[in-house]
Amino acid sequence: MSGNTFGNSFRLTSFGESYGSFVGGVIEGCPPNMDIDFALINNAIKARQTSIFAYASQRKENDEVQFISGIMNGKTTGTPIAFLIKNQETSSTAYNKNKNVLKPSHGYFTYWKKYGIYDYKGSGRASARETIVRVIGGCFAMMYLQQYNITIKAYTTQIGQIQTNKKNLFYGETISSNPLHCPDNESYVKMLEVLESAKKNKDTIGAQVSCVIRNTPIGIGEPVFDKLHADLGKAMLSINAAKGFEIGSGFTSASMHGREHNDLFTKEFHTKTNHSGGIQAGISNGEVIYFSVAFKPISSIMKDQESIDIKGNPAVYIAGGKHDICVVPRVIPVVEAMAALVIADHILRFNAYKNN
Amino acid sequence: MSGNTFGNSFRLTSFGESYGSFVGGVIEGCPPNMDIDFALINNAIKARQTSIFAYASQRKENDEVQFISGIMNGKTTGTPIAFLIKNQETSSTAYNKNKNVLKPSHGYFTYWKKYGIYDYKGSGRASARETIVRVIGGCFAMMYLQQYNITIKAYTTQIGQIQTNKKNLFYGETISSNPLHCPDNESYVKMLEVLESAKKNKDTIGAQVSCVIRNTPIGIGEPVFDKLHADLGKAMLSINAAKGFEIGSGFTSASMHGREHNDLFTKEFHTKTNHSGGIQAGISNGEVIYFSVAFKPISSIMKDQESIDIKGNPAVYIAGGKHDICVVPRVIPVVEAMAALVIADHILRFNAYKNN
Amino acid sequence: MSGNTFGNSFRLTSFGESYGSFVGGVIEGCPPNMDIDFALINNAIKARQTSIFAYASQRKENDEVQFISGIMNGKTTGTPIAFLIKNQETSSTAYNKNKNVLKPSHGYFTYWKKYGIYDYKGSGRASARETIVRVIGGCFAMMYLQQYNITIKAYTTQIGQIQTNKKNLFYGETISSNPLHCPDNESYVKMLEVLESAKKNKDTIGAQVSCVIRNTPIGIGEPVFDKLHADLGKAMLSINAAKGFEIGSGFTSASMHGREHNDLFTKEFHTKTNHSGGIQAGISNGEVIYFSVAFKPISSIMKDQESIDIKGNPAVYIAGGKHDICVVPRVIPVVEAMAALVIADHILRFNAYKNN
Amino acid sequence: MSGNTFGNSFRLTSFGESYGSFVGGVIEGCPPNMDIDFALINNAIKARQTSIFAYASQRKENDEVQFISGIMNGKTTGTPIAFLIKNQETSSTAYNKNKNVLKPSHGYFTYWKKYGIYDYKGSGRASARETIVRVIGGCFAMMYLQQYNITIKAYTTQIGQIQTNKKNLFYGETISSNPLHCPDNESYVKMLEVLESAKKNKDTIGAQVSCVIRNTPIGIGEPVFDKLHADLGKAMLSINAAKGFEIGSGFTSASMHGREHNDLFTKEFHTKTNHSGGIQAGISNGEVIYFSVAFKPISSIMKDQESIDIKGNPAVYIAGGKHDICVVPRVIPVVEAMAALVIADHILRFNAYKNN
């Protein structure tokens, strides 16, 4: 079974290669009669755009989404919403110089071995180009979540050695004031230096993105396997370059004692602390949901690398193409989109049998 | 849709409450004509047993598994394998004293709000009792993986502040020589002290478990959403008390540069380093797969806790019941079982269309 | 992927062999807090019982269902409902005489070739014994449907050459007055003669069962593939011995003209005729849903049959065992149960996104 | 959960409205490195074309399929195959005259009630326009089946009162010699007369289509719920206007005795008769698979019909638009396509665990 569909009740099917004519998707299960917020879609596309930031790829991605079905008079109809985004840059001649040379730490090798085809052009499905589809799909999920007043906001909490100390100090208004969506300006300035230094060295750098979800109703999540944070974790780990996920207290919890970690109740059925990260036993408990995702440095560095060709002979992988220095800030709308898809899917799943 | 089935092609459906008569499961998709290794099953059950370790719950769990279907003459038949494990301790009078008092950081509250039923007895489905079902299911996955020579081994790498420095120094023979499956003896001794101290303080403590999977064939994993590490992450995060997951370089990757992180190829199509953790672009690349899971301290501490009752009035949750000090070592076979289920499921998924 | 789970949101997983210790099932997705109608369950079991009718198998099936999980204080809890039914007759020595001889028109051959195991004992999963699990699962679906006032009633409309002319004259009160649930007494008497004659000749006979579903809300069914009648058709065709399915005008429609077939609307949004069978474009339209299922004669006749053994040598399949003369009346509760599972599943599926 | 995806391992997701810009689909799970037979695709499209036959709709459907992804150098790549077919006729002004008038026996009413939107233009998703997507999807399934030498052929066996007596006399070479794919020429001539008469009367007429599948390997089908004929039944019943399905002896079996119906084995593990229709206990047995599908007369007749408007007031539904007199011959490639999708899906499902 192929793995190009995400979700159970609210589902996104993704298709398209980096250097094909289009990438696109099909959204199934989106409720009918929902007003489509085209501004929200355009903003999300812009947030993922390449040209917005000095440390982002200069690939031409002035994306516009074309809707094929499932929409009438500005509203969803309940039928599948298919959409396309044209790949404006489909010439892959830049890749010719590395024809048959394996790119280190990239999907070329594993795709080749799995599918029996060595696609040297822009890595096909393994390209992060695919994430634009997630962003569009996520926008429809977010439109659905708006009626619950649910908000989702991701922000940069680490680049290289620089970590903000506001990781879990749930975000305030300051976040959007800088292009990295970093919650404190001091860290932001240092992060820019790290990016500048990596760029000078023709290198790339890893990052960490955190995310908060507010106003999720109590009761969302389906134990014992489809716990809400398990599905959030899968969603995040499915994003290109993701290497780690933690919910609430996360890896810190391994060094904590129970007395310190337990979230005691207030009289209003809230909790005094929120080490749980808004999810208890796999089900949302009404507190703020927050989690973090670790991303490795992008493998496409601007220096040549020693490698082998597809026959196993030594070869040099020549630097080139258009690539980001770091996954942030472009991955931020992708994290938000995947979170929205998970929450919407679980609300629909719960709707099926609640109030019966 | 309920979340009690795990996997697509190799599937485990789990059922049963902590204080019901039985817990059990149904395995679907297990290949026929496979010899059943009852010793493997018994060893896995023992490894999860309560009485084996001074810091584990003294609940009576001398478990024996009873097979109902899908087996003939010691072999699988290809039909669903149903099994039951009797709950030897079903008296829940110990829980009466906390009737209607919310237990901090536990599933009582969220289950109550979600399903409309407040089950004060041993937490029903939210109990870790349920993990015995995963262990049995995982054993069948492991039997299947044996024909590929795949081995899966989990081990303790952190308890409280004590972390082994051998976390990613893939395990050698020493691991099993101590009850915590800690890779170095020095850390083991310190971990025991942490457990002893927690016990004395009537407290619990968090932990980290790492796991290595050897000999996975190249090509396993289904991008773009069902990447192998995304499904491993979901599997691990679905285990009780799990708060974080990382694959390969994990959270450390956020502070690394691309030049340092990229795994360069050897002439034999292996890689010189393995920051990727054996998975590239969501597909196994033939290297050792390794990952870590963070677990919070168990919420059932042996001290009374201030809380509220189901009407919102202040109340004391009185300590009691039989509980572990820490999820390790009992969670180790659970981690291994979930990993086996993921790998087996993905091999079957790939089988469907490869070699065509 | 194994095929032992039915449904998407309301799901039944079935397990167990004819001559194993138990058959059983797991119901997932059943809404919580639903009162369990044990009388309904017992009546359905009785309706499927062997001993109730002179032309039914004399196999001992004084079935009692044992619930393992998912129930507390007589109500569903929202967690998986597992149940077992003991096989009271597990000695399969009666089958020894045909060891290694292929039974004509039965699943022995295909199971053997598919799974690589020749199980000569009572046909394992291929036995109609398995349908008791469907009946129990269907009861929970029916309990859920009761809140919609939905009723489901199946009845015999043909045995051999005898067909009632009341096939689509939706049933009245008279149906239950005879053991075959035949809508007219004249046909009933003739059907008995056909059964008597088949019994005398040590033969079996085919049958047709029709079914009506009343009070289904408008809007149930998920085009374009999961049309309501498509899922009803699959459900019915999955029952042992089923060879055909038709909805509404069915095969008769092939000889009709559009002007005659079209169901014109009344002013109350109902239709004057109901050739559509209560489903239009795959979605319930508020009219009575009705369909028919054709069943072949049971292959287990009481005369020896020429056959071959598993090596391909001529051999005689010796008559024996305990078998029905005809699938009716025992298949009637099975038809009703499968119909209930389909309707409940589709209502839950629709719940997920309606009213949003 | 939406119902626009068909299949488990070989999956087709369909999207698009009758009067939208495009209809299209996404194929997931199609094995990589398969040569694409564009001639096969074009022939299937032509067979479904409108203009080929005097009794078919004159709607402009000179269809060409545009592939978006999943194909490289004339081969499948293993990634999702997305495709579009442009709707050449998207002006729906012909439908304005019936704005807000319910069309008898059509999906307008049920779609309106289900999704809350009354789409008076060409019926949107409920239009048979959608079946072009099934035909393209089915072509990829057929390409896969070619390596097993599997052939699938559907043919007309009834129009109105005219039935060929060669329904189950598995087809020979003569079938394709007439535009209706009717196996005997005598019936063909009479069928033409029936069509001519219906056309003259501005009426439509029902039909029956039969289909044979040759060379299916033994062992395909997943009991107990996903029996091969149950999934074939669902596939056929999901086609527009389908009202009935029968496998092998079908409805005739209801009047047969077991002694007559049982298929006795030959020494070569074949059967002397084939009442089973090539499937035993839900699993292919190596004989020819054959089945029939009943189709109602198309509801779009060329005479005005009394109806109501969406407020329940009496109104006339005015005849118009471009419609077929009968589902045949255009439904024939649709039947073949759906059959191919079922067989391919089940082969992949079996591949997952066989030979292990």
Short mmCIF file of all heavy atoms in Angstrom, two decimals, chain D residues 70-107:
data_model
loop_
_atom_site.label_atom_id
_atom_site.label_comp_id
_atom_site.label_asym_id
_atom_site.label_seq_id
_atom_site.Cartn_x
_atom_site.Cartn_y
_atom_site.Cartn_z
N GLY D 70 3.92 10.52 -11.75
CA GLY D 70 4.02 9.06 -11.59
C GLY D 70 4.51 8.32 -12.82
O GLY D 70 4.55 7.08 -12.82
N ILE D 71 4.87 9.04 -13.87
CA ILE D 71 5.29 8.42 -15.12
C ILE D 71 6.61 9.06 -15.55
O ILE D 71 6.77 10.28 -15.47
CB ILE D 71 4.22 8.63 -16.20
CG1 ILE D 71 2.97 7.83 -15.84
CG2 ILE D 71 4.75 8.25 -17.58
CD1 ILE D 71 1.85 7.95 -16.85
N MET D 72 7.57 8.24 -15.97
CA MET D 72 8.83 8.76 -16.50
C MET D 72 9.29 7.86 -17.63
O MET D 72 9.30 6.63 -17.48
CB MET D 72 9.89 8.83 -15.39
CG MET D 72 11.05 9.74 -15.75
SD MET D 72 12.11 10.10 -14.31
CE MET D 72 12.92 8.51 -14.12
N ASN D 73 9.63 8.44 -18.73
CA ASN D 73 10.09 7.67 -19.90
C ASN D 73 9.16 6.52 -20.27
O ASN D 73 9.60 5.41 -20.54
CB ASN D 73 11.50 7.12 -19.64
CG ASN D 73 12.49 8.23 -19.29
OD1 ASN D 73 12.35 9.35 -19.77
ND2 ASN D 73 13.44 7.90 -18.43
N GLY D 74 7.85 6.77 -20.22
CA GLY D 74 6.89 5.76 -20.64
C GLY D 74 6.69 4.62 -19.66
O GLY D 74 6.07 3.61 -19.99
N LYS D 75 7.20 4.80 -18.44
CA LYS D 75 7.03 3.76 -17.43
C LYS D 75 6.46 4.35 -16.14
O LYS D 75 6.65 5.54 -15.84
CB LYS D 75 8.39 3.12 -17.09
CG LYS D 75 8.93 2.15 -18.13
CD LYS D 75 10.35 1.75 -17.76
CE LYS D 75 11.01 0.93 -18.85
NZ LYS D 75 10.58 -0.47 -18.85
N THR D 76 5.81 3.49 -15.38
CA THR D 76 5.37 3.92 -14.06
C THR D 76 6.59 4.01 -13.14
O THR D 76 7.56 3.28 -13.30
CB THR D 76 4.38 2.91 -13.44
OG1 THR D 76 5.02 1.63 -13.39
CG2 THR D 76 3.13 2.79 -14.28
N THR D 77 6.53 4.94 -12.18
CA THR D 77 7.67 5.13 -11.28
C THR D 77 7.40 4.60 -9.88
O THR D 77 8.29 4.62 -9.04
CB THR D 77 8.00 6.63 -11.14
OG1 THR D 77 6.86 7.29 -10.56
CG2 THR D 77 8.31 7.26 -12.48
N GLY D 78 6.17 4.17 -9.60
CA GLY D 78 5.83 3.71 -8.26
C GLY D 78 5.23 4.81 -7.41
O GLY D 78 4.72 4.55 -6.32
N THR D 79 5.29 6.04 -7.88
CA THR D 79 4.67 7.16 -7.15
C THR D 79 3.26 7.39 -7.71
O THR D 79 2.91 6.84 -8.75
CB THR D 79 5.53 8.43 -7.26
OG1 THR D 79 5.62 8.81 -8.64
CG2 THR D 79 6.95 8.17 -6.73
N PRO D 80 2.44 8.17 -7.03
CA PRO D 80 1.05 8.32 -7.46
C PRO D 80 0.92 8.85 -8.89
O PRO D 80 1.60 9.81 -9.27
CB PRO D 80 0.48 9.34 -6.47
CG PRO D 80 1.36 9.27 -5.27
CD PRO D 80 2.72 8.94 -5.80
N ILE D 81 0.07 8.22 -9.65
CA ILE D 81 -0.20 8.61 -11.03
C ILE D 81 -1.45 9.48 -11.03
O ILE D 81 -2.56 8.98 -10.84
CB ILE D 81 -0.41 7.37 -11.93
CG1 ILE D 81 0.84 6.48 -11.88
CG2 ILE D 81 -0.76 7.78 -13.36
CD1 ILE D 81 0.60 5.06 -12.37
N ALA D 82 -1.26 10.77 -11.21
CA ALA D 82 -2.41 11.67 -11.28
C ALA D 82 -2.71 11.98 -12.74
O ALA D 82 -1.80 12.09 -13.56
CB ALA D 82 -2.12 12.97 -10.53
N PHE D 83 -3.98 12.09 -13.06
CA PHE D 83 -4.36 12.39 -14.44
C PHE D 83 -5.62 13.23 -14.49
O PHE D 83 -6.42 13.23 -13.55
CB PHE D 83 -4.55 11.09 -15.24
CG PHE D 83 -5.59 10.18 -14.68
CD1 PHE D 83 -6.92 10.30 -15.06
CD2 PHE D 83 -5.26 9.18 -13.77
CE1 PHE D 83 -7.89 9.46 -14.54
CE2 PHE D 83 -6.23 8.34 -13.24
CZ PHE D 83 -7.54 8.48 -13.63
N LEU D 84 -5.75 13.97 -15.57
CA LEU D 84 -6.89 14.85 -15.78
C LEU D 84 -7.52 14.57 -17.14
O LEU D 84 -6.82 14.23 -18.10
CB LEU D 84 -6.45 16.32 -15.77
CG LEU D 84 -5.84 16.89 -14.50
CD1 LEU D 84 -5.42 18.34 -14.76
CD2 LEU D 84 -6.83 16.83 -13.34
N ILE D 85 -8.82 14.74 -17.22
CA ILE D 85 -9.50 14.73 -18.51
C ILE D 85 -10.34 16.01 -18.54
O ILE D 85 -11.19 16.23 -17.67
CB ILE D 85 -10.40 13.50 -18.69
CG1 ILE D 85 -9.60 12.23 -18.41
CG2 ILE D 85 -11.00 13.47 -20.09
CD1 ILE D 85 -9.93 11.57 -17.11
N LYS D 86 -10.09 16.80 -19.56
CA LYS D 86 -10.78 18.08 -19.69
C LYS D 86 -12.24 17.84 -20.04
O LYS D 86 -12.56 16.98 -20.86
CB LYS D 86 -10.12 18.88 -20.82
CG LYS D 86 -10.26 20.39 -20.68
CD LYS D 86 -9.46 21.11 -21.76
CE LYS D 86 -9.84 22.57 -21.81
NZ LYS D 86 -9.54 23.27 -20.54
N ASN D 87 -13.11 18.58 -19.40
CA ASN D 87 -14.51 18.56 -19.81
C ASN D 87 -14.67 19.54 -20.96
O ASN D 87 -14.58 20.75 -20.76
CB ASN D 87 -15.41 18.97 -18.64
CG ASN D 87 -15.48 17.90 -17.58
OD1 ASN D 87 -15.41 16.70 -17.87
ND2 ASN D 87 -15.62 18.32 -16.33
N GLN D 88 -14.91 19.03 -22.16
CA GLN D 88 -14.97 19.91 -23.32
C GLN D 88 -16.26 20.70 -23.36
O GLN D 88 -16.34 21.74 -23.98
CB GLN D 88 -14.76 19.11 -24.61
CG GLN D 88 -13.39 18.44 -24.60
CD GLN D 88 -13.07 17.75 -25.90
OE1 GLN D 88 -13.81 17.86 -26.87
NE2 GLN D 88 -11.97 17.02 -25.93
N GLU D 89 -17.26 20.17 -22.71
CA GLU D 89 -18.53 20.89 -22.69
C GLU D 89 -18.81 21.32 -21.26
O GLU D 89 -19.19 20.51 -20.42
CB GLU D 89 -19.64 19.99 -23.21
CG GLU D 89 -20.72 20.76 -23.91
CD GLU D 89 -21.53 19.84 -24.82
OE1 GLU D 89 -21.01 19.36 -25.85
OE2 GLU D 89 -22.68 19.63 -24.49
N THR D 90 -18.55 22.58 -20.97
CA THR D 90 -18.73 23.04 -19.59
C THR D 90 -19.82 24.09 -19.46
O THR D 90 -20.14 24.53 -18.37
CB THR D 90 -17.42 23.60 -19.02
OG1 THR D 90 -16.96 24.62 -19.92
CG2 THR D 90 -16.35 22.54 -18.90
N SER D 91 -20.40 24.46 -20.59
CA SER D 91 -21.53 25.38 -20.50
C SER D 91 -22.74 24.58 -20.06
O SER D 91 -23.10 23.56 -20.65
CB SER D 91 -21.80 26.01 -21.87
OG SER D 91 -23.14 26.45 -21.91
N SER D 92 -23.38 25.05 -19.03
CA SER D 92 -24.50 24.30 -18.49
C SER D 92 -25.80 25.07 -18.63
O SER D 92 -26.75 24.82 -17.92
CB SER D 92 -24.22 24.01 -17.01
OG SER D 92 -23.95 25.23 -16.35
N THR D 93 -25.83 25.98 -19.60
CA THR D 93 -27.04 26.80 -19.75
C THR D 93 -28.25 25.95 -20.12
O THR D 93 -29.38 26.30 -19.77
CB THR D 93 -26.83 27.88 -20.84
OG1 THR D 93 -26.26 27.25 -21.98
CG2 THR D 93 -25.91 28.99 -20.35
N ALA D 94 -28.00 24.81 -20.76
CA ALA D 94 -29.11 23.91 -21.10
C ALA D 94 -29.88 23.49 -19.85
O ALA D 94 -31.04 23.10 -19.92
CB ALA D 94 -28.59 22.67 -21.83
N TYR D 95 -29.20 23.57 -18.71
CA TYR D 95 -29.84 23.12 -17.48
C TYR D 95 -30.63 24.22 -16.78
O TYR D 95 -31.36 23.96 -15.83
CB TYR D 95 -28.78 22.54 -16.53
CG TYR D 95 -28.22 21.24 -17.04
CD1 TYR D 95 -27.05 21.21 -17.80
CD2 TYR D 95 -28.88 20.03 -16.79
CE1 TYR D 95 -26.54 20.01 -18.28
CE2 TYR D 95 -28.37 18.83 -17.27
CZ TYR D 95 -27.21 18.83 -18.01
OH TYR D 95 -26.73 17.64 -18.49
N ASN D 96 -30.48 25.47 -17.27
CA ASN D 96 -31.12 26.59 -16.58
C ASN D 96 -32.63 26.47 -16.52
O ASN D 96 -33.27 26.88 -15.56
CB ASN D 96 -30.75 27.92 -17.27
CG ASN D 96 -29.33 28.33 -16.91
OD1 ASN D 96 -28.77 27.82 -15.94
ND2 ASN D 96 -28.76 29.23 -17.69
N LYS D 97 -33.19 25.90 -17.56
CA LYS D 97 -34.65 25.84 -17.63
C LYS D 97 -35.25 24.99 -16.50
O LYS D 97 -36.41 25.13 -16.15
CB LYS D 97 -35.10 25.30 -18.99
CG LYS D 97 -34.57 23.92 -19.30
CD LYS D 97 -34.84 23.54 -20.76
CE LYS D 97 -34.09 22.26 -21.08
NZ LYS D 97 -34.04 21.96 -22.50
N ASN D 98 -34.44 24.09 -15.95
CA ASN D 98 -34.95 23.26 -14.85
C ASN D 98 -34.40 23.67 -13.49
O ASN D 98 -34.51 22.90 -12.53
CB ASN D 98 -34.59 21.79 -15.12
CG ASN D 98 -35.47 21.20 -16.20
OD1 ASN D 98 -36.68 21.35 -16.16
ND2 ASN D 98 -34.85 20.56 -17.19
N LYS D 99 -33.84 24.85 -13.44
CA LYS D 99 -33.29 25.35 -12.18
C LYS D 99 -34.33 25.17 -11.08
O LYS D 99 -35.46 25.60 -11.21
CB LYS D 99 -32.95 26.84 -12.36
CG LYS D 99 -31.89 27.33 -11.44
CD LYS D 99 -31.42 28.72 -11.86
CE LYS D 99 -30.66 29.36 -10.70
NZ LYS D 99 -30.00 30.61 -11.12
N ASN D 100 -33.94 24.48 -10.03
CA ASN D 100 -34.79 24.29 -8.85
C ASN D 100 -35.94 23.30 -9.05
O ASN D 100 -36.81 23.20 -8.19
CB ASN D 100 -35.35 25.63 -8.34
CG ASN D 100 -34.23 26.56 -7.95
OD1 ASN D 100 -33.14 26.10 -7.58
ND2 ASN D 100 -34.46 27.86 -8.04
N VAL D 101 -35.94 22.59 -10.19
CA VAL D 101 -36.94 21.52 -10.35
C VAL D 101 -36.24 20.18 -10.13
O VAL D 101 -35.18 19.91 -10.69
CB VAL D 101 -37.58 21.55 -11.75
CG1 VAL D 101 -38.63 20.45 -11.88
CG2 VAL D 101 -38.21 22.92 -11.99
N LEU D 102 -36.84 19.32 -9.28
CA LEU D 102 -36.23 18.03 -8.98
C LEU D 102 -36.36 17.09 -10.18
O LEU D 102 -37.44 16.91 -10.72
CB LEU D 102 -36.89 17.40 -7.76
CG LEU D 102 -36.76 18.20 -6.45
CD1 LEU D 102 -37.38 17.39 -5.31
CD2 LEU D 102 -35.32 18.53 -6.15
N LYS D 103 -35.27 16.47 -10.55
CA LYS D 103 -35.28 15.54 -11.67
C LYS D 103 -35.63 14.15 -11.13
O LYS D 103 -34.96 13.65 -10.23
CB LYS D 103 -33.90 15.52 -12.32
CG LYS D 103 -33.83 14.66 -13.57
CD LYS D 103 -32.49 14.82 -14.27
CE LYS D 103 -32.42 13.93 -15.50
NZ LYS D 103 -31.12 14.07 -16.19
N PRO D 104 -36.64 13.54 -11.69
CA PRO D 104 -37.07 12.24 -11.15
C PRO D 104 -35.99 11.17 -11.28
O PRO D 104 -35.27 11.11 -12.28
CB PRO D 104 -38.30 11.88 -12.01
CG PRO D 104 -38.80 13.19 -12.51
CD PRO D 104 -37.57 14.03 -12.72
N SER D 105 -35.88 10.32 -10.28
CA SER D 105 -34.97 9.18 -10.25
C SER D 105 -33.53 9.57 -10.55
O SER D 105 -32.80 8.83 -11.20
CB SER D 105 -35.43 8.08 -11.22
OG SER D 105 -36.42 7.28 -10.61
N HIS D 106 -33.13 10.69 -10.06
CA HIS D 106 -31.76 11.14 -10.28
C HIS D 106 -31.16 11.62 -8.95
O HIS D 106 -31.86 11.76 -7.96
CB HIS D 106 -31.73 12.28 -11.31
CG HIS D 106 -30.45 12.32 -12.07
ND1 HIS D 106 -29.30 12.84 -11.53
CD2 HIS D 106 -30.12 11.88 -13.30
CE1 HIS D 106 -28.32 12.73 -12.42
NE2 HIS D 106 -28.78 12.14 -13.51
N GLY D 107 -29.86 11.86 -8.94
CA GLY D 107 -29.17 12.19 -7.70
C GLY D 107 -29.35 13.60 -7.20
O GLY D 107 -28.87 13.93 -6.11
#
